[in-house]
Amino acid sequence: MKNFQNKAELSTYIGVLKANGSTIGFVPTMGALHQGHLSLVNNGLSENDLVVVSIFVNPTQFDNKEDLVKYPRTLEEDISLLKTVSSDRIIVYSPTVDDIYGNHIESRTFTFDGLEHEMEGAFRKGHFDGVGTIVKRLFEIVNPDRAYFGEKDFQQLQIIRKLVELHQLPVEIIGCPIHRAADGLAMSSRNARLSSEHRIVSPFIYKTLIAAKTQFGTKSAQAVTEWVNKEFKNQPLFELEYFIIADISTLKPVKRKSTKKSYRAFIAVYAGDIRLIDNIALN
Ligand code: PAF
């Protein structure tokens, strides 16, 4: 399996592949790969000749220094896991911070038609500037035909779509369904850091989302939101940061339901010092 650390070498290599007619899928990751990432890679392999997987813990998207320091870094295991999928059709790009940012570890400022102010944007200042900066830079280096993002980070997915639209980037963005553990917990690289006590109760998050979806059929967004808040007050192992029912195109909270619009419920929860997010389509 080819593994590049240098952006110029990777770009040259991909340029030759594309000149010879190969199509390139791209799965950007921060490593600590799990089955959710592999399903993105498999989607990429089914639609492209080759898939580039970037493994880079991007410092500019962390609003919390401790989270950045503690973020799992497992490059060798990640490469072994990718080899179980394919050795000859996957290319890894695992750059250093220097290769990406040089001396300026800073994000650019982006606007995404207001999507950046909601939910994760409100609770994690500067997060989407960091995501926009790294994803745009990676798209320039990899020059993929298609890029694959999981719906677990649904707000991120909508923001990347907006980035591509506003900056007219020549890449198709493909959103892929959330991959869940058998008990319903959405797969995340952070799950590995959950205490066993928190891991055992964590299916509660998805169960609450399913119940919220059922209630949304007959109740207002406000009534469902109040119910979820109460449920979490009775669950001492979790601290609910937000539960929001939002329009999927604006990501603004629903005031009055309309049958013409599509909604999702979004949740962010602290399990000890681990922050988990999840979401569910409501209609
Ligand atoms: O979703 C992630 O893992 C990251 O936000 C991404 C898209 C790889 C950018 O660092």
Side-chain angles (χ1 to χ4, degrees):
M1 177 176 287
K2 287 216 171 295
N3 179 6
F4 291 85
Q5 275 92 40
N6 179 282
K7 59 177 181 283
E9 285 171 18
L10 175 69
S11 292
T12 306
Y13 186 75
I14 292 173
V16 173
L17 290 170
K18 289 190 84 165
N20 289 332
S22 294
T23 54
I24 306 292
F26 179 40
V27 179
T29 81
M30 298 207 297
L33 301 184
H34 49 67
Q35 292 303 319
H37 293 114
L38 295 193
S39 76
L40 301 180
V41 173
N42 275 316
N43 285 342
L45 287 172
S46 69
E47 294 177 338
N48 303 276
D49 295 313
L50 293 137
V51 170
V52 176
V53 178
S54 63
I55 299 179
F56 178 65
V57 181
N58 173 36
T60 62
Q61 72 187 76
F62 285 80
D63 58 325
N64 177 333
K65 278 240 151 61
E66 202 184 321
D67 194 24
L68 171 61
V69 171
K70 288 192 177 163
Y71 202 88
R73 288 156 172 89
T74 55
L75 185 60
E76 272 181 29
E77 288 94 319
D78 291 345
I79 290 177
S80 303
L81 199 59
L82 289 171
K83 281 185 183 160
T84 65
V85 177
S86 171
S87 282
D88 55 349
R89 291 179 60 214
I90 297 176
I91 299 164
V92 173
Y93 174 46
S94 58
T96 57
V97 173
D98 187 55
D99 192 52
I100 294 285
Y101 286 104
N103 292 331
H104 302 284
I105 308 175
E106 280 166 13
S107 25
R108 278 184 50 177
T109 306
F110 288 89
T111 51
F112 299 110
D113 281 355
L115 298 177
E116 71 279 16
H117 300 311
E118 307 299 328
M119 301 183 287
E120 294 299 287
F123 285 91
R124 301 177 67 189
K125 288 287 167 219
H127 172 66
F128 287 120
D129 281 339
V131 170
T133 301
I134 186 62
V135 171
K136 188 162 182 292
R137 204 156 288 187
L138 289 169
F139 283 171
E140 284 157 5
I141 295 167
V142 176
N143 190 17
D145 297 282
R146 299 178 191 84
Y148 298 79
F149 292 84
E151 288 184 343
K152 185 177 83 66
D153 297 293
F154 190 84
Q155 183 174 13
Q156 170 173 278
L157 170 63
Q158 297 298 67
I159 279 179
I160 303 296
R161 288 194 166 120
K162 189 59 77 179
L163 172 82
V164 166
E165 179 196 320
L166 295 176
H167 295 261
Q168 299 186 347
L169 306 177
V171 51
E172 185 185 350
I173 302 301
I174 318 268
C176 303
I178 299 175
H179 214 78
R180 297 184 180 280
D183 61 10
L185 177 65
M187 295 233 174
S188 162
S189 305
R190 291 189 169 85
N191 293 354
R193 290 179 48 217
L194 288 170
S195 68
S196 54
E197 201 186 16
H198 282 119
R199 179 62 190 86
I200 287 165
V201 291
S202 56
F204 178 76
I205 300 169
Y206 184 48
K207 280 196 189 125
T208 308
L209 287 180
I210 293 174
K213 179 179 172 127
T214 308
Q215 292 193 25
F216 190 68
T218 54
K219 292 186 180 158
S220 69
Q222 192 189 335
V224 178
T225 305
E226 280 165 16
W227 176 79
V228 170
N229 276 281
K230 262 194 213 136
E231 286 296 291
F232 273 90
K233 285 217 169 83
N234 295 330
Q235 177 51 264
L237 284 175
F238 292 128
E239 194 188 318
L240 180 64
E241 186 167 58
Y242 65 74
F243 172 84
I244 291 171
I245 296 180
D247 179 322
I248 64 161
S249 52
T250 63
L251 300 179
K252 292 210 178 305
V254 184
K255 293 212 172 88
R256 196 178 305 155
K257 283 197 266 185
S258 157
T259 49
K260 295 194 187 100
K261 292 189 168 164
S262 298
Y263 302 110
R264 269 185 187 248
F266 297 87
I267 195 163
V269 170
Y270 275 97
D273 61 348
I274 313 297
R275 190 169 180 278
L276 301 173
I277 61 170
D278 201 349
N279 69 82
I280 193 167
L282 296 178
N283 61 342

